[in-house]
Amino acid sequence: MHKHSAPAVTYPVGHARAARAAAVVLGMAGAAAVALWWIQVDASAGRRAGVLAALGLSLALAGWPYRSRGVQALRWDGQAWSTEGPARAAVYGSAHVVVHLDFQFLMLVRLLTLDGPARWLWLEQKRAPAQWPMLRRALYAQPPRPAHVAADGTAADAAIQVTADRATAQPPPPHP
């Protein structure tokens, strides 16, 4: 029997400044590359318009993760993970959290639920330094992996389907 010993914790979630800075730097590098190409290459107006459209689209996609603040807090209640959105409303019910990057002061985790799509969350120590050790304990003292999470930490659609099939299947006939 697995006993999860991490204390309950609610931790604020937001856009990590480091990730935002990296997106800005990469966007600026892309714009600089396009500017150099523009100066050096004698291209047709159609080609230049296509390159500008591609640059605009890539910059818009780079900013897409920063468009909303759907998840504002990650909560471990001692038994299960959940999230809170604006006005402390539950965004996702029972969830599983997988740590993908851990820089000690900054973590990238993926939130997997049956209720919605997987969400990537940046967790920063400076958002709540006093709660950071409790959050880390809760993340690394994970309870057993639920059926909707594959061994590699991805959402297991097949596992969800098998679970649903089992719930609706008829029991096998008794053996003589």
Side-chain angles (χ1 to χ4, degrees), residues 1-96:
M1 179 173 167
H2 179 78
K3 187 168 185 156
H4 196 295
S5 60
V9 63
T10 299
Y11 203 82
V13 175
H15 302 301
R17 291 184 192 128
R20 187 178 299 167
V24 168
V25 167
L26 289 173
M28 290 173 51
V34 167
L36 286 173
W37 174 84
W38 194 280
I39 293 168
Q40 295 178 357
V41 175
D42 185 27
S44 68
R47 218 177 237 179
R48 287 181 183 231
V51 167
L52 285 178
L55 176 63
L57 179 63
S58 64
L59 291 174
L61 289 175
W64 188 259
Y66 304 106
R67 73 194 183 289
S68 70
R69 293 191 37 110
V71 174
Q72 294 183 336
L74 182 62
R75 176 189 300 267
W76 171 253
D77 65 6
Q79 300 295 319
W81 289 100
S82 61
T83 59
E84 293 178 353
R88 303 185 76 70
V91 176
Y92 296 114
S94 180
H96 184 71

Side-chain angles (χ1 to χ4, degrees), residues 58-131:
S58 64
L59 291 174
L61 289 175
W64 188 259
Y66 304 106
R67 73 194 183 289
S68 70
R69 293 191 37 110
V71 174
Q72 294 183 336
L74 182 62
R75 176 189 300 267
W76 171 253
D77 65 6
Q79 300 295 319
W81 289 100
S82 61
T83 59
E84 293 178 353
R88 303 185 76 70
V91 176
Y92 296 114
S94 180
H96 184 71
V97 179
V98 180
V99 177
H100 285 273
L101 293 175
D102 184 352
F103 297 111
Q104 300 300 313
F105 61 93
L106 175 71
M107 297 175 82
L108 176 63
V109 300
R110 187 167 39 166
L111 181 73
L112 301 166
T113 69
L114 289 174
D115 306 32
R119 295 285 309 258
W120 291 91
L121 305 173
W122 285 102
L123 307 173
E124 291 181 293
Q125 180 180 14
K126 62 185 165 190
R127 289 197 183 271
Q131 295 171 306

